[in-house]
Each structure stands twice: as C-alpha cells, then as structure tokens.
Amino acid sequence: MACLAEMPHLVERLILTKEYNEEGIYRVKICKNGEWMEVMVDDYFPCFPNGGPMFSRGHGNELWVLLLEKAYAKVHGSYKSLVGGLPHQAMMDLTGCPTTSFSFKDEKVQKMIKNGKLWAMMKVFDKEGYVMGAGTPGEDMFTESGGKADSVGGLVPGHAYSVIAAKEFKGVKLLSIRNPWGNFEWDGAWSDNSPLWTEEFIKELNPVFDEHDGTFWMTFEDFSSLFDSLDVCRVSSWNELRIRGRFIRYNDI
C-alpha cells in the first residue's frame, strides 16, 4: 500500500465508495487470481483494549488504509493470513498489472547487477513510472514484538521498502528509498547527514533532508549488497481483457 500511495490514482480506483457514510459500509475492488472482484466491508476494525488499531494505521483520520487491509484480509480469510508474503504478489492483487520479482540471491540476477543490466532496467522502470519495492534480508523481529530491531546501517531486517527514484549523476548511481514506517532510515553514504552531498548534487536531485520522514538516498552498490530483492509492478494504462478459463491436464495414454 505504501508503494501504491506514491501514485494516489492507483489507490483511488480501489476504493469504490469515495465518501464517508454514516452506515459504515464501503465497497473495495481487488484483483485476485487475475479477476477483479468487489469486496464489501464495514468500518469496525480490531483494536487494542486501550484504543488504536491492532494492525495497519492511517495518517490522521484516513480510513482507506484500514478499509483496504480489511478487504484484503476478508479475501484471504483472516488478518493472520496477511502476515509475511511477498510484495510483488500483493502488488498484482492491488493493481491487476504484471509484476516481476528479482531475487539478489539468484545467480542470473547477480550477473545483471555486475554487468549493469539491472541498474539500466531500474532507470527505465523509474522513467516509465512503474511501482517498485525492495526487501531486506533477515527476519522482522520488530513489527509484532515491538522490540528494538538489529539494523544494518539503519535498515530494518526482513522489511519492505518503497523505491521512489533511480537517478544517475556524474557517474554516481543513486536510489531514493522510503521506509513506510516514516523512521529507521539508512545512515550510510548519501544518507540525510552524509557529507557527500554537494550543492551540485542537491540542485540536481532535490533531496529532502528530514530524519523523520522515512525517505533516504543510497548508492545502487549499497542497495544491491544490503537488500535481497526488488519487486516491480508495471502499472500502465492497460486496455484490459480478462477471460475466465481453466487449465486441464490430460494424462498420457
């Protein structure tokens, strides 16, 4: 959802009930197994005894985050069913568009990283306005337990991030990345407080140096060594034609 929020129109088209209503009934659209479906939910959300939603939270009085999560949980049977999973699968469900996942552990992807092909593709993805997400290796011990995460350079292990931009300037390959939590930012080279930022780079890339917005810059080299996956959703003005069908296997006689 954080990745989709970079392009508000992708979120708006999922929420069919556009305005708040006193009945508390909302219609949401999700593309599951290649087929768009409408899901109806109410505005009762699981909360802690002392108040506040148990799962996702919106910013201020926003409802769309909680509504979309509830609809997605309803499709899958429960909130518990949403724990874990791969970002590119959710991207496909929430956009209906083709997705690709690159695992940095894959030998072919490693070759693409070394020969520059993956970086070239990321620049094209950025230019085309595709939705990109990235994941860090390890296990997320922070989200549910509330404990302090052992981070590498400020990165949370087992966590999904949004990739905002891929830019190259004066031979430096830089990525703008956002942690949807709004904190826990990268603190290495090209981070908010990095001395590498010159007036020329600032003028070209227009970074926002805010330690509490979750957004940071890092080199492609650091990205490819500290993250372990890249998910790309090819959002576009597709002309959709969806036909229901079945794959039938015939046993050899």
Short mmCIF file of all heavy atoms in Angstrom, two decimals, residues 113-177:
data_model
loop_
_atom_site.label_atom_id
_atom_site.label_comp_id
_atom_site.label_asym_id
_atom_site.label_seq_id
_atom_site.Cartn_x
_atom_site.Cartn_y
_atom_site.Cartn_z
N ILE A 113 23.40 -7.55 -11.97
CA ILE A 113 23.91 -6.49 -11.10
C ILE A 113 25.33 -6.11 -11.50
O ILE A 113 25.67 -4.93 -11.62
CB ILE A 113 23.87 -6.94 -9.63
CG1 ILE A 113 22.42 -7.09 -9.15
CG2 ILE A 113 24.62 -5.94 -8.74
CD1 ILE A 113 22.28 -7.68 -7.76
N LYS A 114 26.15 -7.12 -11.75
CA LYS A 114 27.56 -6.88 -12.06
C LYS A 114 27.77 -6.25 -13.44
O LYS A 114 28.65 -5.40 -13.61
CB LYS A 114 28.34 -8.19 -11.95
CG LYS A 114 28.42 -8.73 -10.52
CD LYS A 114 29.11 -10.08 -10.46
CE LYS A 114 29.16 -10.61 -9.04
NZ LYS A 114 29.78 -11.97 -8.96
N ASN A 115 26.96 -6.67 -14.42
CA ASN A 115 27.16 -6.12 -15.77
C ASN A 115 26.37 -4.84 -16.03
O ASN A 115 26.40 -4.29 -17.13
CB ASN A 115 26.84 -7.17 -16.83
CG ASN A 115 25.38 -7.63 -16.82
OD1 ASN A 115 24.49 -6.92 -16.36
ND2 ASN A 115 25.15 -8.84 -17.32
N GLY A 116 25.65 -4.36 -15.01
CA GLY A 116 24.95 -3.08 -15.13
C GLY A 116 23.56 -3.17 -15.74
O GLY A 116 22.86 -2.16 -15.86
N LYS A 117 23.12 -4.38 -16.09
CA LYS A 117 21.82 -4.53 -16.74
C LYS A 117 20.68 -4.19 -15.79
O LYS A 117 19.70 -3.53 -16.19
CB LYS A 117 21.65 -5.95 -17.27
CG LYS A 117 20.37 -6.15 -18.06
CD LYS A 117 20.29 -7.56 -18.65
CE LYS A 117 19.00 -7.73 -19.45
NZ LYS A 117 18.91 -9.09 -20.05
N LEU A 118 20.79 -4.60 -14.53
CA LEU A 118 19.71 -4.33 -13.58
C LEU A 118 19.58 -2.84 -13.32
O LEU A 118 18.46 -2.32 -13.24
CB LEU A 118 19.95 -5.08 -12.26
CG LEU A 118 18.81 -4.95 -11.23
CD1 LEU A 118 17.51 -5.52 -11.79
CD2 LEU A 118 19.15 -5.64 -9.91
N TRP A 119 20.71 -2.15 -13.19
CA TRP A 119 20.65 -0.69 -12.98
C TRP A 119 20.00 -0.01 -14.18
O TRP A 119 19.15 0.88 -14.01
CB TRP A 119 22.03 -0.13 -12.74
CG TRP A 119 22.05 1.37 -12.72
CD1 TRP A 119 22.63 2.21 -13.63
CD2 TRP A 119 21.43 2.22 -11.75
NE1 TRP A 119 22.41 3.52 -13.28
CE2 TRP A 119 21.68 3.56 -12.14
CE3 TRP A 119 20.69 1.98 -10.59
CZ2 TRP A 119 21.21 4.64 -11.41
CZ3 TRP A 119 20.21 3.07 -9.86
CH2 TRP A 119 20.48 4.38 -10.27
N ALA A 120 20.36 -0.43 -15.38
CA ALA A 120 19.76 0.14 -16.59
C ALA A 120 18.25 -0.09 -16.60
O ALA A 120 17.47 0.80 -16.98
CB ALA A 120 20.41 -0.46 -17.83
N MET A 121 17.83 -1.27 -16.17
CA MET A 121 16.41 -1.58 -16.12
C MET A 121 15.70 -0.72 -15.07
O MET A 121 14.58 -0.23 -15.30
CB MET A 121 16.21 -3.06 -15.81
CG MET A 121 16.66 -4.00 -16.92
SD MET A 121 16.57 -5.76 -16.46
CE MET A 121 14.80 -5.98 -16.32
N MET A 122 16.35 -0.50 -13.93
CA MET A 122 15.72 0.31 -12.89
C MET A 122 15.52 1.74 -13.34
O MET A 122 14.51 2.37 -12.99
CB MET A 122 16.56 0.26 -11.61
CG MET A 122 16.55 -1.10 -10.91
SD MET A 122 17.33 -1.07 -9.26
CE MET A 122 16.12 -0.14 -8.32
N LYS A 123 16.44 2.27 -14.11
CA LYS A 123 16.28 3.62 -14.64
C LYS A 123 15.09 3.69 -15.60
O LYS A 123 14.34 4.67 -15.62
CB LYS A 123 17.56 4.09 -15.33
CG LYS A 123 18.70 4.37 -14.37
CD LYS A 123 19.81 5.21 -15.02
CE LYS A 123 20.49 4.44 -16.13
NZ LYS A 123 21.60 5.24 -16.71
N VAL A 124 14.91 2.63 -16.40
CA VAL A 124 13.76 2.56 -17.29
C VAL A 124 12.47 2.44 -16.50
O VAL A 124 11.47 3.11 -16.80
CB VAL A 124 13.90 1.37 -18.28
CG1 VAL A 124 12.62 1.20 -19.09
CG2 VAL A 124 15.08 1.57 -19.19
N PHE A 125 12.49 1.59 -15.46
CA PHE A 125 11.30 1.43 -14.61
C PHE A 125 10.91 2.77 -13.99
O PHE A 125 9.72 3.11 -13.93
CB PHE A 125 11.58 0.42 -13.48
CG PHE A 125 11.86 -0.98 -13.96
CD1 PHE A 125 12.63 -1.85 -13.18
CD2 PHE A 125 11.36 -1.44 -15.16
CE1 PHE A 125 12.87 -3.15 -13.60
CE2 PHE A 125 11.61 -2.74 -15.60
CZ PHE A 125 12.37 -3.58 -14.81
N ASP A 126 11.91 3.52 -13.53
CA ASP A 126 11.65 4.83 -12.93
C ASP A 126 11.06 5.79 -13.96
O ASP A 126 10.08 6.50 -13.69
CB ASP A 126 12.95 5.39 -12.35
CG ASP A 126 12.76 6.77 -11.73
OD1 ASP A 126 11.71 7.00 -11.10
OD2 ASP A 126 13.66 7.61 -11.87
N LYS A 127 11.64 5.80 -15.16
CA LYS A 127 11.17 6.69 -16.23
C LYS A 127 9.74 6.37 -16.64
O LYS A 127 8.94 7.27 -16.92
CB LYS A 127 12.10 6.58 -17.43
CG LYS A 127 11.75 7.53 -18.58
CD LYS A 127 12.74 7.39 -19.72
CE LYS A 127 12.37 8.32 -20.87
NZ LYS A 127 13.32 8.18 -22.01
N GLU A 128 9.41 5.07 -16.66
CA GLU A 128 8.07 4.64 -17.07
C GLU A 128 7.03 4.82 -15.96
O GLU A 128 5.83 4.66 -16.19
CB GLU A 128 8.10 3.16 -17.49
CG GLU A 128 8.90 2.89 -18.76
CD GLU A 128 8.28 3.53 -19.99
OE1 GLU A 128 7.03 3.63 -20.04
OE2 GLU A 128 9.03 3.92 -20.90
N GLY A 129 7.49 5.14 -14.76
CA GLY A 129 6.57 5.34 -13.65
C GLY A 129 6.04 4.07 -13.03
O GLY A 129 4.96 4.06 -12.45
N TYR A 130 6.82 2.98 -13.13
CA TYR A 130 6.40 1.72 -12.54
C TYR A 130 6.54 1.78 -11.01
O TYR A 130 7.36 2.54 -10.48
CB TYR A 130 7.26 0.56 -13.06
CG TYR A 130 7.06 0.26 -14.53
CD1 TYR A 130 7.99 -0.50 -15.23
CD2 TYR A 130 5.94 0.72 -15.23
CE1 TYR A 130 7.81 -0.78 -16.58
CE2 TYR A 130 5.77 0.44 -16.57
CZ TYR A 130 6.70 -0.32 -17.25
OH TYR A 130 6.53 -0.60 -18.58
N VAL A 131 5.75 0.97 -10.33
CA VAL A 131 5.83 0.87 -8.87
C VAL A 131 6.95 -0.10 -8.51
O VAL A 131 7.00 -1.22 -9.03
CB VAL A 131 4.50 0.39 -8.28
CG1 VAL A 131 4.64 0.15 -6.78
CG2 VAL A 131 3.39 1.39 -8.55
N MET A 132 7.85 0.32 -7.63
CA MET A 132 8.97 -0.53 -7.24
C MET A 132 9.04 -0.65 -5.71
O MET A 132 8.83 0.32 -4.99
CB MET A 132 10.29 0.02 -7.77
CG MET A 132 10.47 -0.06 -9.27
SD MET A 132 12.14 0.40 -9.81
CE MET A 132 12.05 2.20 -9.65
N GLY A 133 9.34 -1.86 -5.27
CA GLY A 133 9.55 -2.11 -3.86
C GLY A 133 10.79 -2.95 -3.67
O GLY A 133 11.26 -3.60 -4.61
N ALA A 134 11.34 -2.95 -2.48
CA ALA A 134 12.56 -3.72 -2.21
C ALA A 134 12.49 -4.28 -0.80
O ALA A 134 11.87 -3.68 0.10
CB ALA A 134 13.80 -2.85 -2.37
N GLY A 135 13.13 -5.43 -0.60
CA GLY A 135 13.11 -6.07 0.71
C GLY A 135 14.50 -6.32 1.24
O GLY A 135 15.43 -6.58 0.48
N THR A 136 14.64 -6.24 2.57
CA THR A 136 15.92 -6.54 3.21
C THR A 136 15.93 -7.99 3.68
O THR A 136 14.87 -8.56 3.98
CB THR A 136 16.15 -5.62 4.42
OG1 THR A 136 14.99 -5.67 5.27
CG2 THR A 136 16.38 -4.18 3.97
N PRO A 137 17.10 -8.61 3.76
CA PRO A 137 17.18 -9.99 4.25
C PRO A 137 16.97 -10.07 5.75
O PRO A 137 17.03 -9.06 6.44
CB PRO A 137 18.61 -10.41 3.86
CG PRO A 137 19.38 -9.11 3.87
CD PRO A 137 18.42 -8.07 3.37
N GLY A 138 16.76 -11.27 6.23
CA GLY A 138 16.59 -11.48 7.67
C GLY A 138 15.14 -11.62 8.07
O GLY A 138 14.24 -11.71 7.24
N GLU A 139 14.92 -11.60 9.36
CA GLU A 139 13.58 -11.78 9.92
C GLU A 139 13.16 -10.54 10.68
O GLU A 139 13.92 -9.99 11.48
CB GLU A 139 13.56 -12.99 10.86
CG GLU A 139 12.19 -13.31 11.42
CD GLU A 139 12.20 -14.53 12.32
OE1 GLU A 139 13.27 -15.15 12.48
OE2 GLU A 139 11.13 -14.86 12.86
N ASP A 140 11.94 -10.09 10.41
CA ASP A 140 11.41 -8.91 11.09
C ASP A 140 11.00 -9.29 12.52
O ASP A 140 10.01 -9.97 12.73
CB ASP A 140 10.20 -8.37 10.31
CG ASP A 140 9.57 -7.17 10.98
OD1 ASP A 140 10.14 -6.66 11.96
OD2 ASP A 140 8.50 -6.73 10.52
N MET A 141 11.79 -8.83 13.48
CA MET A 141 11.50 -9.10 14.88
C MET A 141 10.92 -7.87 15.57
O MET A 141 10.75 -7.85 16.79
CB MET A 141 12.79 -9.53 15.61
CG MET A 141 13.46 -10.75 15.00
SD MET A 141 12.43 -12.23 15.07
CE MET A 141 12.45 -12.51 16.85
N PHE A 142 10.60 -6.84 14.77
CA PHE A 142 10.19 -5.57 15.36
C PHE A 142 8.68 -5.35 15.28
O PHE A 142 8.05 -4.95 16.25
CB PHE A 142 10.90 -4.43 14.65
CG PHE A 142 10.63 -3.07 15.24
CD1 PHE A 142 11.46 -2.54 16.21
CD2 PHE A 142 9.53 -2.32 14.83
CE1 PHE A 142 11.20 -1.30 16.75
CE2 PHE A 142 9.26 -1.08 15.38
CZ PHE A 142 10.10 -0.57 16.33
N THR A 143 8.07 -5.65 14.12
CA THR A 143 6.69 -5.24 13.87
C THR A 143 5.72 -5.74 14.92
O THR A 143 4.93 -4.97 15.47
CB THR A 143 6.25 -5.75 12.48
OG1 THR A 143 7.15 -5.24 11.50
CG2 THR A 143 4.86 -5.26 12.16
N GLU A 144 5.76 -7.03 15.23
CA GLU A 144 4.78 -7.59 16.15
C GLU A 144 5.23 -7.55 17.60
O GLU A 144 4.43 -7.39 18.51
CB GLU A 144 4.45 -9.03 15.75
CG GLU A 144 3.73 -9.13 14.41
CD GLU A 144 3.19 -10.52 14.14
OE1 GLU A 144 3.06 -11.30 15.11
OE2 GLU A 144 2.89 -10.83 12.98
N SER A 145 6.53 -7.70 17.81
CA SER A 145 7.02 -7.75 19.20
C SER A 145 7.19 -6.37 19.80
O SER A 145 7.13 -6.19 21.01
CB SER A 145 8.36 -8.49 19.25
OG SER A 145 9.38 -7.75 18.58
N GLY A 146 7.47 -5.37 18.93
CA GLY A 146 7.69 -4.03 19.43
C GLY A 146 9.09 -3.84 19.99
O GLY A 146 9.42 -2.78 20.51
N GLY A 147 9.93 -4.88 19.89
CA GLY A 147 11.29 -4.78 20.39
C GLY A 147 12.16 -3.98 19.46
O GLY A 147 11.76 -3.58 18.38
N LYS A 148 13.37 -3.75 19.86
CA LYS A 148 14.31 -2.98 19.04
C LYS A 148 14.93 -3.89 17.99
O LYS A 148 15.40 -4.98 18.28
CB LYS A 148 15.41 -2.37 19.91
CG LYS A 148 16.37 -1.48 19.13
CD LYS A 148 17.32 -0.79 20.06
CE LYS A 148 18.34 0.06 19.29
NZ LYS A 148 17.70 1.06 18.46
N ALA A 149 14.89 -3.44 16.75
CA ALA A 149 15.41 -4.25 15.64
C ALA A 149 16.92 -4.06 15.51
O ALA A 149 17.44 -2.96 15.65
CB ALA A 149 14.73 -3.84 14.34
N ASP A 150 17.62 -5.17 15.27
CA ASP A 150 19.04 -5.09 14.97
C ASP A 150 19.18 -4.66 13.52
O ASP A 150 18.86 -5.41 12.60
CB ASP A 150 19.70 -6.46 15.18
CG ASP A 150 19.70 -6.87 16.64
OD1 ASP A 150 19.79 -5.97 17.49
OD2 ASP A 150 19.60 -8.07 16.92
N SER A 151 19.62 -3.44 13.30
CA SER A 151 19.66 -2.90 11.95
C SER A 151 21.08 -2.84 11.42
O SER A 151 22.05 -2.84 12.17
CB SER A 151 19.05 -1.49 11.93
OG SER A 151 19.80 -0.62 12.76
N VAL A 152 21.18 -2.82 10.10
CA VAL A 152 22.45 -2.64 9.42
C VAL A 152 22.42 -1.28 8.74
O VAL A 152 21.71 -1.08 7.76
CB VAL A 152 22.69 -3.75 8.37
CG1 VAL A 152 24.00 -3.51 7.64
CG2 VAL A 152 22.67 -5.12 9.01
N GLY A 153 23.18 -0.34 9.29
CA GLY A 153 23.17 1.00 8.71
C GLY A 153 21.83 1.68 8.80
O GLY A 153 21.52 2.57 8.01
N GLY A 154 21.01 1.29 9.76
CA GLY A 154 19.70 1.91 9.92
C GLY A 154 18.58 1.16 9.21
O GLY A 154 17.42 1.55 9.32
N LEU A 155 18.91 0.09 8.47
CA LEU A 155 17.90 -0.68 7.74
C LEU A 155 17.31 -1.76 8.64
O LEU A 155 18.03 -2.42 9.39
CB LEU A 155 18.52 -1.33 6.50
CG LEU A 155 19.12 -0.37 5.45
CD1 LEU A 155 19.75 -1.17 4.32
CD2 LEU A 155 18.04 0.57 4.91
N VAL A 156 16.01 -1.94 8.56
CA VAL A 156 15.32 -2.95 9.36
C VAL A 156 15.36 -4.29 8.62
O VAL A 156 15.03 -4.36 7.44
CB VAL A 156 13.85 -2.55 9.59
CG1 VAL A 156 13.13 -3.61 10.43
CG2 VAL A 156 13.77 -1.19 10.27
N PRO A 157 15.78 -5.37 9.27
CA PRO A 157 15.83 -6.67 8.60
C PRO A 157 14.44 -7.22 8.32
O PRO A 157 13.49 -6.96 9.06
CB PRO A 157 16.59 -7.55 9.60
CG PRO A 157 16.36 -6.90 10.92
CD PRO A 157 16.29 -5.43 10.66
N GLY A 158 14.31 -7.97 7.23
CA GLY A 158 13.05 -8.60 6.88
C GLY A 158 11.93 -7.60 6.65
O GLY A 158 10.77 -7.85 6.97
N HIS A 159 12.26 -6.46 6.06
CA HIS A 159 11.31 -5.35 5.93
C HIS A 159 11.18 -4.93 4.47
O HIS A 159 12.12 -5.05 3.69
CB HIS A 159 11.80 -4.18 6.79
CG HIS A 159 10.82 -3.06 6.93
ND1 HIS A 159 9.49 -3.26 7.22
CD2 HIS A 159 10.98 -1.71 6.81
CE1 HIS A 159 8.87 -2.09 7.29
NE2 HIS A 159 9.76 -1.14 7.05
N ALA A 160 9.99 -4.44 4.10
CA ALA A 160 9.74 -3.98 2.73
C ALA A 160 9.81 -2.46 2.65
O ALA A 160 9.28 -1.76 3.52
CB ALA A 160 8.37 -4.46 2.27
N TYR A 161 10.47 -1.97 1.62
CA TYR A 161 10.64 -0.54 1.39
C TYR A 161 10.09 -0.16 0.02
O TYR A 161 9.98 -1.01 -0.87
CB TYR A 161 12.13 -0.16 1.43
CG TYR A 161 12.78 -0.25 2.80
CD1 TYR A 161 13.12 -1.48 3.36
CD2 TYR A 161 13.07 0.90 3.52
CE1 TYR A 161 13.73 -1.57 4.60
CE2 TYR A 161 13.69 0.83 4.78
CZ TYR A 161 14.01 -0.41 5.31
OH TYR A 161 14.61 -0.48 6.53
N SER A 162 9.77 1.11 -0.15
CA SER A 162 9.36 1.64 -1.45
C SER A 162 10.57 2.26 -2.14
O SER A 162 11.33 3.00 -1.50
CB SER A 162 8.27 2.71 -1.30
OG SER A 162 7.15 2.20 -0.60
N VAL A 163 10.75 1.95 -3.42
CA VAL A 163 11.82 2.58 -4.21
C VAL A 163 11.18 3.72 -4.98
O VAL A 163 10.31 3.50 -5.84
CB VAL A 163 12.48 1.57 -5.16
CG1 VAL A 163 13.57 2.27 -5.97
CG2 VAL A 163 13.07 0.41 -4.37
N ILE A 164 11.59 4.94 -4.69
CA ILE A 164 10.94 6.13 -5.23
C ILE A 164 11.55 6.57 -6.56
O ILE A 164 10.84 6.98 -7.48
CB ILE A 164 11.02 7.31 -4.23
CG1 ILE A 164 10.59 6.85 -2.84
CG2 ILE A 164 10.17 8.47 -4.71
CD1 ILE A 164 9.19 6.31 -2.79
N ALA A 165 12.86 6.51 -6.67
CA ALA A 165 13.52 7.01 -7.88
C ALA A 165 14.87 6.34 -8.08
O ALA A 165 15.49 5.88 -7.11
CB ALA A 165 13.69 8.53 -7.79
N ALA A 166 15.29 6.28 -9.33
CA ALA A 166 16.62 5.75 -9.69
C ALA A 166 17.28 6.78 -10.60
O ALA A 166 16.85 6.97 -11.74
CB ALA A 166 16.50 4.40 -10.40
N LYS A 167 18.30 7.47 -10.09
CA LYS A 167 18.93 8.56 -10.82
C LYS A 167 20.44 8.36 -10.89
O LYS A 167 21.06 7.83 -9.95
CB LYS A 167 18.64 9.91 -10.13
CG LYS A 167 17.16 10.20 -9.92
CD LYS A 167 16.40 10.36 -11.23
CE LYS A 167 14.94 10.68 -10.98
NZ LYS A 167 14.16 10.74 -12.25
N GLU A 168 21.02 8.80 -11.99
CA GLU A 168 22.47 8.75 -12.15
C GLU A 168 22.97 10.13 -12.50
O GLU A 168 22.47 10.78 -13.42
CB GLU A 168 22.85 7.75 -13.24
CG GLU A 168 24.35 7.52 -13.36
CD GLU A 168 24.71 6.34 -14.24
OE1 GLU A 168 23.81 5.58 -14.63
OE2 GLU A 168 25.92 6.17 -14.54
N PHE A 169 23.97 10.60 -11.74
CA PHE A 169 24.51 11.94 -11.96
C PHE A 169 26.01 11.91 -11.71
O PHE A 169 26.46 11.42 -10.67
CB PHE A 169 23.83 12.94 -11.01
CG PHE A 169 24.26 14.37 -11.21
CD1 PHE A 169 24.05 15.01 -12.41
CD2 PHE A 169 24.88 15.06 -10.18
CE1 PHE A 169 24.44 16.33 -12.60
CE2 PHE A 169 25.27 16.38 -10.34
CZ PHE A 169 25.05 17.01 -11.56
N LYS A 170 26.76 12.36 -12.69
CA LYS A 170 28.22 12.38 -12.61
C LYS A 170 28.79 11.00 -12.26
O LYS A 170 29.74 10.88 -11.46
CB LYS A 170 28.69 13.43 -11.60
CG LYS A 170 28.51 14.86 -12.08
CD LYS A 170 29.17 15.85 -11.15
CE LYS A 170 29.11 17.25 -11.74
NZ LYS A 170 29.86 17.37 -13.00
N GLY A 171 28.18 9.97 -12.84
CA GLY A 171 28.67 8.61 -12.64
C GLY A 171 28.25 7.95 -11.35
O GLY A 171 28.60 6.79 -11.11
N VAL A 172 27.50 8.66 -10.50
CA VAL A 172 27.04 8.10 -9.23
C VAL A 172 25.61 7.57 -9.41
O VAL A 172 24.72 8.32 -9.83
CB VAL A 172 27.07 9.14 -8.10
CG1 VAL A 172 26.64 8.50 -6.78
CG2 VAL A 172 28.46 9.74 -7.98
N LYS A 173 25.41 6.30 -9.12
CA LYS A 173 24.10 5.66 -9.25
C LYS A 173 23.38 5.73 -7.91
O LYS A 173 23.81 5.08 -6.94
CB LYS A 173 24.27 4.21 -9.70
CG LYS A 173 25.07 4.05 -10.98
CD LYS A 173 25.40 2.59 -11.26
CE LYS A 173 26.28 2.45 -12.49
NZ LYS A 173 26.70 1.04 -12.70
N LEU A 174 22.31 6.49 -7.85
CA LEU A 174 21.62 6.73 -6.59
C LEU A 174 20.15 6.34 -6.64
O LEU A 174 19.48 6.52 -7.66
CB LEU A 174 21.74 8.21 -6.20
CG LEU A 174 23.14 8.70 -5.80
CD1 LEU A 174 23.16 10.21 -5.69
CD2 LEU A 174 23.57 8.05 -4.49
N LEU A 175 19.68 5.81 -5.52
CA LEU A 175 18.28 5.42 -5.39
C LEU A 175 17.65 6.18 -4.23
O LEU A 175 18.26 6.33 -3.17
CB LEU A 175 18.17 3.93 -5.12
CG LEU A 175 18.57 2.99 -6.26
CD1 LEU A 175 18.69 1.56 -5.74
CD2 LEU A 175 17.56 3.05 -7.39
N SER A 176 16.44 6.68 -4.46
CA SER A 176 15.65 7.27 -3.38
C SER A 176 14.70 6.19 -2.87
O SER A 176 13.94 5.60 -3.64
CB SER A 176 14.85 8.47 -3.89
OG SER A 176 14.04 8.99 -2.86
N ILE A 177 14.77 5.92 -1.56
CA ILE A 177 14.03 4.81 -0.95
C ILE A 177 13.27 5.33 0.26
O ILE A 177 13.73 6.26 0.94
CB ILE A 177 15.00 3.68 -0.54
CG1 ILE A 177 15.76 3.18 -1.78
CG2 ILE A 177 14.27 2.53 0.15
CD1 ILE A 177 16.87 2.20 -1.46
#
